[in-house]
């Protein structure tokens, strides 16, 4: 996951200014911002619990999750995927980008090496969730560039996604939340919508938040506008999700000489609760 360029800087700036005003400036310190984020996300989580209904994981027989980057599938819906597999369903995963841009300018690891590493991490992570390797697909599009592709490359990606949609015949399509504050996430959703138009398939579409947990005010919109908010109790498969997340070593641990990982412990802690939420428009 590309932590810095993926998140909308303008949205972060607006959120920080509003938070600074509301809290009389105490949230302008790193520790203050962290406490404020955790407090707001905790409130959002409680509202989501009240607003949601249990998702019937035993119902879908074929699921396709479209992950803009290797690790999005685990962070956003890893527990859901594990539970669907346990209930006898088939899970397919499509990784849109190669993840090579998560460490820009790193002195010791090249983008090509990082892309290969994240490919291996994805294999380990999906395996930890119980997903068969034959059901995992990679498009290897440039990380961080989905929103700026020219027409030819856009059409090429749409055709590839349409082919996988046809191949998997998924009853349920899991996508990142369309207003997640990430250009790659939002562009990925737009590409899938174009591919669906080409195939004329009509799967159930469910969206999962990732970066919205980093800026939890983004969760206000889906709380207010989602037709249904589904919750999935993942307590009995949480160990599998944590093992899958641990497989993404390049994201959860620092690569020297970096002292901090791309995904901070504060951020990843948002994905270790006993439930996951899915938004249906």
């Amino acid at each position: 996951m590309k932590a810095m360029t993926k998140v909308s800087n303008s949205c972060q700036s607006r959120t920080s200014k509003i938070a600074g005003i509301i809290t009389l400036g105490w949230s302008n310190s790193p520790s203050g911002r962290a406490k404020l984020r955790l407090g707001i996300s905790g409130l959002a989580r409680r509202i989501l619990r009240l607003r949601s209904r249990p998702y019937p994981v035993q119902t879908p027989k074929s699921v396709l999750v479209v992950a803009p980057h290797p690790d999005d599938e685990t962070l956003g819906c890893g527990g859901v995927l594990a539970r669907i597999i346990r209930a006898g369903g088939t899970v397919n995963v499509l990784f849109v980008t190669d993840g090579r841009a998560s460490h820009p300018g790193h002195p010791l690891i090249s983008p090509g090496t990082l892309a290969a590493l994240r490919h291996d991490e994805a294999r380990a992570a999906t395996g930890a969730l119980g997903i068969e390797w034959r059901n995992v697909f990679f498009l290897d599009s440039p990380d961080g560039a989905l929103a700026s592709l020219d027409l030819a490359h856009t059409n090429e990606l749409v055709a590839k996604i349409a082919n996988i949609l046809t191949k998997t015949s998924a009853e349920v399509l899991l996508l990142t939340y369309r207003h997640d504050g990430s250009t790659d996430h939002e562009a990925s959703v737009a590409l899938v919508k174009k591919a669906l138009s080409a195939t004329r398939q009509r799967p159930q579409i469910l969206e999962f938040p990732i970066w919205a947990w980093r800026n939890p005010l983004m969760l206000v919109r889906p709380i207010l506008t989602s037709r249904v908010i589904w919750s999935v109790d993942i307590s009995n498969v949480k160990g599998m999700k944590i093992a899958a997340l641990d497989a993404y070593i390049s994201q959860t641990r620092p690569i020297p000489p970096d002292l901090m990982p791309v995904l901070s412990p504060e951020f990843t802690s948002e994905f270790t609760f006993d439930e996951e939420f899915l938004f249906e428009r």
Side-chain angles (χ1 to χ4, degrees):
M1 179 167 295
K2 190 178 178 184
M4 299 304 293
T5 60
K6 286 177 58 180
V7 181
S8 168
N9 291 331
S10 62
C11 182
Q12 281 188 318
S13 177
R14 282 197 305 273
T15 303
S16 296
K17 288 179 181 178
I18 294 171
I21 293 171
I22 294 174
T23 63
L24 302 180
W26 70 262
S27 65
N28 291 333
S29 69
S31 61
R33 286 194 295 272
K35 291 177 181 177
L36 181 63
R37 279 196 300 270
L38 291 174
I40 296 174
S41 67
L43 176 61
R45 196 176 294 276
R46 287 192 288 273
I47 295 173
L48 285 167
R49 287 171 183 152
L50 292 172
R51 173 89 161 73
S52 66
R53 65 181 73 168
Y55 183 73
V57 293
Q58 71 280 0
T59 300
K61 300 306 177 186
S62 179
V63 175
L64 173 63
V65 54
V66 179
H69 309 86
D71 74 8
D72 289 330
E73 83 299 337
T74 295
L75 289 166
C77 58
V80 173
L81 303 181
R83 283 211 55 193
I84 289 173
I85 291 170
R86 280 196 173 185
T90 298
V91 169
N92 306 274
V93 180
L94 170 60
F95 293 107
V96 182
T97 76
D98 57 15
R100 68 173 57 218
S102 65
H103 292 72
H106 195 282
L108 299 180
I109 187 166
S110 69
T113 300
L114 187 58
L117 175 60
R118 298 196 68 179
H119 189 286
D120 291 341
E121 290 173 347
R123 178 166 191 161
T126 52
L129 294 174
I131 301 167
E132 295 186 29
W133 186 238
R134 64 180 179 178
N135 296 331
V136 180
F137 309 92
F138 293 85
L139 296 184
D140 291 324
S141 185
D143 185 7
L146 285 184
S148 57
L149 295 176
D150 59 30
L151 183 59
H153 284 96
T154 297
N155 290 339
E156 181 182 352
L157 274 183
V158 169
K160 290 179 178 179
I161 294 171
N163 180 59
I164 292 171
L165 286 169
T166 301
K167 181 177 182 178
T168 58
S169 299
E171 300 169 14
V172 177
L173 190 56
L174 295 175
L175 308 176
T176 49
Y177 172 46
R178 68 187 64 190
H179 302 296
D180 202 40
S182 157
T183 56
D184 274 353
H185 288 198
E186 294 170 8
S188 179
V189 172
L191 289 168
V192 173
K193 287 177 65 177
K194 291 180 180 179
L196 282 171
S197 296
T199 63
R200 299 184 180 180
Q201 293 187 15
R202 296 293 182 270
Q204 180 186 31
I205 298 177
L206 305 175
E207 300 176 4
F208 52 89
I210 294 183
W211 283 108
W213 289 114
R214 184 66 170 75
N215 293 294
L217 291 178
M218 293 180 181
L219 294 171
V220 173
R221 181 184 291 186
I223 287 173
L224 295 176
T225 63
S226 295
R227 184 170 66 86
V228 182
I229 297 176
W230 298 102
S231 63
V232 178
D233 181 354
I234 66 166
S235 56
N236 63 342
V237 294
K238 191 165 69 172
M240 298 170 69
K241 177 175 180 175
I242 291 173
L245 185 56
D246 286 345
Y248 287 109
I249 296 172
S250 68
Q251 308 302 294
T252 58
R253 302 176 196 173
I255 299 178
D258 292 348
L259 299 179
M260 293 295 295
V262 171
L263 302 179
S264 69
E266 174 208 338
F267 180 68
T268 56
S269 70
E270 294 285 1
F271 303 94
T272 58
F273 286 85
D274 285 344
E275 79 279 297
E276 291 173 344
F277 296 100
L278 304 170
F279 306 140
E280 185 169 4
R281 308 290 286 187

